[in-house]
Amino acid sequence: MSLLDSVRVLGAMARITAPTLVDVARGSVDRGAIDDRARWFGRRVVELLDIQLTATGAEHVPRRAVVYMSNHQSHLDIPVLYATLPSPTIRMLAKAELFRIPLWGRGLRAAEFIEVDRGNHTRAVQSIEHAARLVQDGVSIWVAPEGTRSVDGRIGKLKKGGFHLALATGTPIVPVAIRGTIGILPRGGKVMRPHQLVSVQIGPSIDVAGRDLPDLMAQVSEFLVKNVENVTGNPR
């Protein structure tokens, strides 16, 4: 990817962060405006990187708040999901390091993104409680239950936090399989590769009523393995 393209992607990030910081200064952060900026950012990154994106399964998403659970291949998962997931309002659980980036972190907090500090149990619990309040207010939440980006595209062991959130709030889980973003920017990579094939497959929603934690975790893991690891050909 050329230096110019990298600058353009950073410019897209700035274009959604700067207005949010202005809103913070004015004391008038509007959720709908954040939704519009996030979707624009997703579509713009797909356009800049010339990602050959296909998405299926939007009809599976109920018209209510849900907990999306996807595998995690790359930092590019976030714009790709904003470009494809159909829920009008989506906020994401993100690692604490992102919130330490000057200005960007402040914008994330103001936009109701949820900071997760996995090294601090008390703060991790507070993050889930924050997410629960958003769900009850009609906001869908994206969780990457692996907890970190995959090195080789394989599905890692799932963590429990997002499942506790879904069970505590009675919110359906929508599993999402992402393939191909690892080819654009793998974990540890410094240079983005444009013109890649990426697919997003949205699975049928999972009703959590009467379900137990291990059963739900097994079902989501099975979906991800089947639709990420056990699919031949590109995208991987």
Side-chain angles (χ1 to χ4, degrees), residues 90-104:
I90 305 170
R91 297 296 180 267
M92 299 183 171
L93 272 69
K95 61 184 181 180
E97 291 87 337
L98 293 177
F99 291 80
R100 299 186 188 122
I101 300 173
L103 297 181
W104 177 250

Side-chain angles (χ1 to χ4, degrees), residues 15 25 29 61 69 83 86 92 122 140 151 178 187 223:
R15 184 168 172 177
V29 179
V61 181
M69 291 193 182
M92 299 183 171
T122 299
S140 292
V151 174
I178 304 171
R187 181 174 176 176
F223 174 88

